[in-house]
Short mmCIF file of all heavy atoms in Angstrom, two decimals:
data_model
loop_
_atom_site.label_atom_id
_atom_site.label_comp_id
_atom_site.label_asym_id
_atom_site.label_seq_id
_atom_site.Cartn_x
_atom_site.Cartn_y
_atom_site.Cartn_z
N LEU A 18 0.83 -1.20 0.00
CA LEU A 18 0.00 0.00 0.00
C LEU A 18 0.87 1.26 0.00
O LEU A 18 0.58 2.22 -0.71
CB LEU A 18 -0.95 0.01 1.20
CG LEU A 18 -1.90 1.19 1.29
CD1 LEU A 18 -2.77 1.29 0.04
CD2 LEU A 18 -2.78 1.06 2.53
N ALA A 19 1.95 1.24 0.77
CA ALA A 19 2.86 2.39 0.81
C ALA A 19 3.49 2.61 -0.56
O ALA A 19 3.62 3.75 -1.03
CB ALA A 19 3.93 2.18 1.87
N LYS A 20 3.88 1.52 -1.21
CA LYS A 20 4.47 1.62 -2.55
C LYS A 20 3.44 2.17 -3.55
O LYS A 20 3.77 3.03 -4.37
CB LYS A 20 4.97 0.25 -2.99
CG LYS A 20 5.76 0.26 -4.26
CD LYS A 20 6.32 -1.12 -4.58
CE LYS A 20 7.10 -1.10 -5.87
NZ LYS A 20 7.64 -2.42 -6.21
N ALA A 21 2.22 1.68 -3.46
CA ALA A 21 1.16 2.16 -4.35
C ALA A 21 0.87 3.64 -4.09
O ALA A 21 0.69 4.41 -5.04
CB ALA A 21 -0.11 1.33 -4.16
N ALA A 22 0.85 4.05 -2.84
CA ALA A 22 0.59 5.45 -2.49
C ALA A 22 1.70 6.35 -3.01
O ALA A 22 1.43 7.44 -3.54
CB ALA A 22 0.45 5.61 -0.98
N GLN A 23 2.94 5.91 -2.91
CA GLN A 23 4.06 6.69 -3.41
C GLN A 23 3.98 6.83 -4.93
O GLN A 23 4.14 7.92 -5.47
CB GLN A 23 5.38 6.05 -3.02
CG GLN A 23 6.59 6.82 -3.52
CD GLN A 23 7.90 6.13 -3.18
OE1 GLN A 23 7.92 5.08 -2.55
NE2 GLN A 23 8.99 6.73 -3.60
N ARG A 24 3.72 5.72 -5.61
CA ARG A 24 3.61 5.75 -7.07
C ARG A 24 2.43 6.63 -7.50
O ARG A 24 2.51 7.35 -8.49
CB ARG A 24 3.44 4.33 -7.62
CG ARG A 24 3.41 4.25 -9.12
CD ARG A 24 4.71 4.67 -9.75
NE ARG A 24 4.60 4.58 -11.20
CZ ARG A 24 5.22 5.36 -12.04
NH1 ARG A 24 6.04 6.30 -11.59
NH2 ARG A 24 5.07 5.23 -13.34
N PHE A 25 1.35 6.58 -6.74
CA PHE A 25 0.17 7.40 -7.00
C PHE A 25 0.55 8.89 -6.97
O PHE A 25 0.18 9.64 -7.87
CB PHE A 25 -0.89 7.09 -5.94
CG PHE A 25 -2.22 7.71 -6.19
CD1 PHE A 25 -3.20 7.05 -6.92
CD2 PHE A 25 -2.52 8.96 -5.67
CE1 PHE A 25 -4.44 7.63 -7.14
CE2 PHE A 25 -3.76 9.55 -5.89
CZ PHE A 25 -4.72 8.87 -6.62
N GLU A 26 1.30 9.29 -5.95
CA GLU A 26 1.72 10.68 -5.83
C GLU A 26 2.64 11.08 -6.98
O GLU A 26 2.55 12.19 -7.50
CB GLU A 26 2.42 10.91 -4.49
CG GLU A 26 1.46 10.89 -3.31
CD GLU A 26 2.17 11.06 -1.98
OE1 GLU A 26 3.42 11.18 -1.96
OE2 GLU A 26 1.47 11.08 -0.95
N GLU A 27 3.55 10.17 -7.37
CA GLU A 27 4.44 10.45 -8.49
C GLU A 27 3.65 10.68 -9.78
O GLU A 27 3.95 11.60 -10.55
CB GLU A 27 5.43 9.30 -8.70
CG GLU A 27 6.46 9.15 -7.60
CD GLU A 27 7.23 7.84 -7.69
OE1 GLU A 27 6.96 7.02 -8.60
OE2 GLU A 27 8.13 7.63 -6.85
N LEU A 28 2.67 9.84 -10.01
CA LEU A 28 1.87 9.96 -11.22
C LEU A 28 1.00 11.22 -11.21
O LEU A 28 0.79 11.85 -12.25
CB LEU A 28 1.01 8.71 -11.42
CG LEU A 28 1.80 7.45 -11.79
CD1 LEU A 28 0.89 6.23 -11.78
CD2 LEU A 28 2.49 7.60 -13.12
N GLU A 29 0.50 11.59 -10.05
CA GLU A 29 -0.26 12.83 -9.93
C GLU A 29 0.63 14.03 -10.26
O GLU A 29 0.22 14.95 -10.97
CB GLU A 29 -0.82 12.98 -8.51
CG GLU A 29 -2.08 12.20 -8.26
CD GLU A 29 -3.27 12.82 -8.95
OE1 GLU A 29 -3.60 13.99 -8.69
OE2 GLU A 29 -3.87 12.12 -9.78
N ALA A 30 1.87 14.01 -9.75
CA ALA A 30 2.81 15.10 -10.03
C ALA A 30 3.14 15.15 -11.52
O ALA A 30 3.20 16.23 -12.13
CB ALA A 30 4.09 14.93 -9.21
N LEU A 31 3.33 13.98 -12.12
CA LEU A 31 3.61 13.91 -13.55
C LEU A 31 2.44 14.46 -14.35
O LEU A 31 2.62 15.23 -15.30
CB LEU A 31 3.90 12.47 -13.97
CG LEU A 31 4.11 12.23 -15.46
CD1 LEU A 31 5.32 13.00 -15.98
CD2 LEU A 31 4.25 10.74 -15.75
N ARG A 32 1.25 14.10 -13.96
CA ARG A 32 0.05 14.58 -14.66
C ARG A 32 -0.08 16.10 -14.56
O ARG A 32 -0.39 16.78 -15.54
CB ARG A 32 -1.19 13.90 -14.09
CG ARG A 32 -2.42 14.12 -14.94
CD ARG A 32 -3.52 13.24 -14.52
NE ARG A 32 -4.13 13.76 -13.30
CZ ARG A 32 -5.33 13.41 -12.87
NH1 ARG A 32 -6.03 12.52 -13.51
NH2 ARG A 32 -5.83 13.93 -11.77
N ASP A 33 0.21 16.65 -13.39
CA ASP A 33 0.18 18.11 -13.21
C ASP A 33 1.23 18.79 -14.09
O ASP A 33 0.97 19.82 -14.70
CB ASP A 33 0.39 18.49 -11.75
CG ASP A 33 -0.79 18.10 -10.86
OD1 ASP A 33 -1.89 17.86 -11.41
OD2 ASP A 33 -0.60 18.05 -9.64
N GLU A 34 2.43 18.19 -14.13
CA GLU A 34 3.51 18.75 -14.96
C GLU A 34 3.11 18.71 -16.44
O GLU A 34 3.31 19.69 -17.17
CB GLU A 34 4.80 17.96 -14.75
CG GLU A 34 5.94 18.43 -15.63
CD GLU A 34 7.14 17.51 -15.57
OE1 GLU A 34 7.24 16.69 -14.66
OE2 GLU A 34 7.99 17.64 -16.49
N LEU A 35 2.56 17.60 -16.88
CA LEU A 35 2.16 17.47 -18.28
C LEU A 35 1.04 18.45 -18.63
O LEU A 35 1.01 19.00 -19.73
CB LEU A 35 1.73 16.04 -18.59
CG LEU A 35 2.85 15.00 -18.57
CD1 LEU A 35 2.28 13.60 -18.75
CD2 LEU A 35 3.89 15.30 -19.62
N ARG A 36 0.12 18.67 -17.70
CA ARG A 36 -0.96 19.64 -17.92
C ARG A 36 -0.37 21.04 -18.12
O ARG A 36 -0.77 21.77 -19.02
CB ARG A 36 -1.93 19.62 -16.75
CG ARG A 36 -3.15 20.50 -16.96
CD ARG A 36 -4.13 20.44 -15.79
NE ARG A 36 -4.64 19.10 -15.57
CZ ARG A 36 -4.51 18.41 -14.44
NH1 ARG A 36 -3.88 18.94 -13.40
NH2 ARG A 36 -5.00 17.20 -14.31
N ALA A 37 0.62 21.39 -17.28
CA ALA A 37 1.26 22.71 -17.39
C ALA A 37 2.03 22.82 -18.71
O ALA A 37 1.97 23.85 -19.38
CB ALA A 37 2.20 22.93 -16.21
N ARG A 38 2.72 21.75 -19.09
CA ARG A 38 3.47 21.77 -20.34
C ARG A 38 2.53 21.87 -21.54
O ARG A 38 2.83 22.53 -22.54
CB ARG A 38 4.34 20.52 -20.46
CG ARG A 38 5.53 20.56 -19.48
CD ARG A 38 6.37 19.32 -19.54
NE ARG A 38 6.91 19.13 -20.89
CZ ARG A 38 7.46 17.99 -21.28
NH1 ARG A 38 7.53 16.96 -20.46
NH2 ARG A 38 7.94 17.86 -22.50
N ARG A 39 1.38 21.22 -21.44
CA ARG A 39 0.40 21.29 -22.52
C ARG A 39 -0.12 22.72 -22.69
O ARG A 39 -0.27 23.22 -23.80
CB ARG A 39 -0.75 20.33 -22.25
CG ARG A 39 -1.79 20.37 -23.34
CD ARG A 39 -2.91 19.41 -23.06
NE ARG A 39 -3.90 19.52 -24.12
CZ ARG A 39 -5.15 19.16 -24.01
NH1 ARG A 39 -5.58 18.64 -22.90
NH2 ARG A 39 -5.98 19.29 -25.00
N GLN A 40 -0.41 23.37 -21.58
CA GLN A 40 -0.88 24.75 -21.64
C GLN A 40 0.17 25.66 -22.26
O GLN A 40 -0.14 26.52 -23.09
CB GLN A 40 -1.24 25.25 -20.24
CG GLN A 40 -2.51 24.65 -19.68
CD GLN A 40 -2.78 25.08 -18.25
OE1 GLN A 40 -1.92 25.65 -17.58
NE2 GLN A 40 -3.97 24.78 -17.76
N GLN A 41 1.43 25.44 -21.88
CA GLN A 41 2.51 26.24 -22.44
C GLN A 41 2.64 25.99 -23.94
O GLN A 41 2.79 26.92 -24.73
CB GLN A 41 3.83 25.92 -21.74
CG GLN A 41 5.00 26.73 -22.26
CD GLN A 41 6.29 26.39 -21.56
OE1 GLN A 41 6.34 25.52 -20.70
NE2 GLN A 41 7.37 27.05 -21.93
N ALA A 42 2.56 24.72 -24.35
CA ALA A 42 2.65 24.38 -25.76
C ALA A 42 1.50 25.00 -26.55
O ALA A 42 1.69 25.47 -27.68
CB ALA A 42 2.68 22.87 -25.94
N THR A 43 0.31 25.01 -25.96
CA THR A 43 -0.86 25.61 -26.62
C THR A 43 -0.65 27.10 -26.83
O THR A 43 -0.97 27.64 -27.90
CB THR A 43 -2.12 25.35 -25.80
OG1 THR A 43 -2.31 23.93 -25.67
CG2 THR A 43 -3.35 25.97 -26.44
N GLN A 44 -0.10 27.77 -25.84
CA GLN A 44 0.17 29.21 -25.97
C GLN A 44 1.22 29.47 -27.04
O GLN A 44 1.07 30.38 -27.86
CB GLN A 44 0.63 29.79 -24.62
CG GLN A 44 -0.46 29.84 -23.58
CD GLN A 44 0.06 30.22 -22.21
OE1 GLN A 44 1.26 30.34 -22.00
NE2 GLN A 44 -0.86 30.41 -21.27
N GLU A 45 2.29 28.66 -27.05
CA GLU A 45 3.34 28.84 -28.05
C GLU A 45 2.80 28.53 -29.44
O GLU A 45 3.17 29.20 -30.42
CB GLU A 45 4.53 27.94 -27.74
CG GLU A 45 5.33 28.40 -26.54
CD GLU A 45 6.53 27.51 -26.26
OE1 GLU A 45 7.07 26.91 -27.21
OE2 GLU A 45 6.91 27.42 -25.09
N LEU A 46 1.95 27.54 -29.54
CA LEU A 46 1.35 27.18 -30.82
C LEU A 46 0.53 28.35 -31.38
O LEU A 46 0.60 28.66 -32.57
CB LEU A 46 0.48 25.94 -30.67
CG LEU A 46 -0.15 25.36 -31.92
CD1 LEU A 46 0.92 24.91 -32.90
CD2 LEU A 46 -1.05 24.19 -31.56
N ALA A 47 -0.22 29.00 -30.52
CA ALA A 47 -1.01 30.15 -30.96
C ALA A 47 -0.10 31.29 -31.44
O ALA A 47 -0.40 31.94 -32.45
CB ALA A 47 -1.91 30.63 -29.81
N GLU A 48 1.01 31.51 -30.74
CA GLU A 48 1.95 32.55 -31.15
C GLU A 48 2.57 32.23 -32.51
O GLU A 48 2.68 33.10 -33.38
CB GLU A 48 3.04 32.73 -30.09
CG GLU A 48 2.54 33.31 -28.79
CD GLU A 48 3.59 33.26 -27.69
OE1 GLU A 48 4.74 32.84 -27.96
OE2 GLU A 48 3.26 33.63 -26.55
N VAL A 49 2.99 30.98 -32.69
CA VAL A 49 3.60 30.57 -33.95
C VAL A 49 2.59 30.64 -35.08
O VAL A 49 2.91 31.06 -36.19
CB VAL A 49 4.19 29.14 -33.82
CG1 VAL A 49 4.59 28.58 -35.16
CG2 VAL A 49 5.38 29.15 -32.87
N LYS A 50 1.36 30.27 -34.79
CA LYS A 50 0.30 30.35 -35.80
C LYS A 50 0.11 31.79 -36.26
O LYS A 50 -0.02 32.05 -37.46
CB LYS A 50 -1.00 29.79 -35.24
CG LYS A 50 -2.14 29.76 -36.23
CD LYS A 50 -3.39 29.18 -35.60
CE LYS A 50 -4.56 29.25 -36.55
NZ LYS A 50 -5.80 28.77 -35.94
N GLN A 51 0.09 32.72 -35.33
CA GLN A 51 -0.08 34.13 -35.68
C GLN A 51 1.10 34.63 -36.50
O GLN A 51 0.93 35.33 -37.50
CB GLN A 51 -0.27 34.98 -34.42
CG GLN A 51 -0.53 36.44 -34.70
CD GLN A 51 -1.80 36.68 -35.50
OE1 GLN A 51 -2.78 35.97 -35.37
NE2 GLN A 51 -1.76 37.68 -36.36
N THR A 52 2.31 34.27 -36.09
CA THR A 52 3.51 34.68 -36.82
C THR A 52 3.49 34.11 -38.24
O THR A 52 3.78 34.82 -39.21
CB THR A 52 4.78 34.19 -36.09
OG1 THR A 52 4.78 34.74 -34.77
CG2 THR A 52 6.04 34.61 -36.82
N GLY A 53 3.13 32.85 -38.37
CA GLY A 53 3.05 32.21 -39.69
C GLY A 53 1.98 32.84 -40.56
O GLY A 53 2.17 33.02 -41.76
N LYS A 54 0.86 33.19 -39.95
CA LYS A 54 -0.24 33.81 -40.69
C LYS A 54 0.21 35.16 -41.26
O LYS A 54 -0.05 35.47 -42.44
CB LYS A 54 -1.43 34.00 -39.75
CG LYS A 54 -2.67 34.54 -40.42
CD LYS A 54 -3.81 34.61 -39.40
CE LYS A 54 -5.07 35.16 -40.03
NZ LYS A 54 -6.17 35.24 -39.06
N GLU A 55 0.91 35.94 -40.46
CA GLU A 55 1.41 37.24 -40.92
C GLU A 55 2.44 37.06 -42.03
O GLU A 55 2.43 37.79 -43.02
CB GLU A 55 2.00 38.01 -39.74
CG GLU A 55 0.95 38.47 -38.74
CD GLU A 55 1.55 39.01 -37.46
OE1 GLU A 55 2.80 39.06 -37.34
OE2 GLU A 55 0.77 39.38 -36.56
N ALA A 56 3.33 36.07 -41.88
CA ALA A 56 4.34 35.82 -42.91
C ALA A 56 3.68 35.37 -44.21
O ALA A 56 4.11 35.77 -45.30
CB ALA A 56 5.33 34.77 -42.42
N ALA A 57 2.65 34.53 -44.13
CA ALA A 57 1.95 34.07 -45.32
C ALA A 57 1.29 35.24 -46.05
O ALA A 57 1.31 35.30 -47.29
CB ALA A 57 0.90 33.02 -44.95
N ILE A 58 0.73 36.17 -45.31
CA ILE A 58 0.12 37.36 -45.91
C ILE A 58 1.18 38.17 -46.65
O ILE A 58 0.96 38.62 -47.79
CB ILE A 58 -0.59 38.22 -44.83
CG1 ILE A 58 -1.84 37.51 -44.33
CG2 ILE A 58 -0.92 39.61 -45.38
CD1 ILE A 58 -2.47 38.15 -43.11
N GLU A 59 2.35 38.33 -46.04
CA GLU A 59 3.43 39.08 -46.67
C GLU A 59 3.92 38.38 -47.94
O GLU A 59 4.14 39.02 -48.97
CB GLU A 59 4.58 39.26 -45.69
CG GLU A 59 4.22 40.20 -44.54
CD GLU A 59 5.25 40.19 -43.42
OE1 GLU A 59 6.25 39.44 -43.52
OE2 GLU A 59 5.05 40.93 -42.45
N VAL A 60 4.08 37.05 -47.88
CA VAL A 60 4.52 36.29 -49.05
C VAL A 60 3.51 36.42 -50.18
O VAL A 60 3.87 36.65 -51.34
CB VAL A 60 4.76 34.80 -48.68
CG1 VAL A 60 4.92 33.95 -49.92
CG2 VAL A 60 5.97 34.66 -47.77
N ARG A 61 2.24 36.28 -49.86
CA ARG A 61 1.20 36.41 -50.89
C ARG A 61 1.19 37.81 -51.51
O ARG A 61 1.01 37.97 -52.72
CB ARG A 61 -0.16 36.06 -50.31
CG ARG A 61 -0.35 34.58 -50.10
CD ARG A 61 -1.77 34.25 -49.68
NE ARG A 61 -1.92 32.81 -49.52
CZ ARG A 61 -2.01 32.18 -48.35
NH1 ARG A 61 -1.98 32.87 -47.23
NH2 ARG A 61 -2.13 30.87 -48.31
N SER A 62 1.41 38.80 -50.68
CA SER A 62 1.43 40.17 -51.17
C SER A 62 2.59 40.36 -52.16
O SER A 62 2.43 40.96 -53.23
CB SER A 62 1.57 41.13 -50.01
OG SER A 62 1.69 42.45 -50.45
#
């Protein structure tokens, strides 16, 4: 039970870290999308 509880806490921490990394990636993706959109407009022009 102690081993399971410890692993449970590790996985919860990992899940929280991955959630934070996903949010960061989503924000960066939006920034890159905007930059690419502006560059595409310039290229087309």
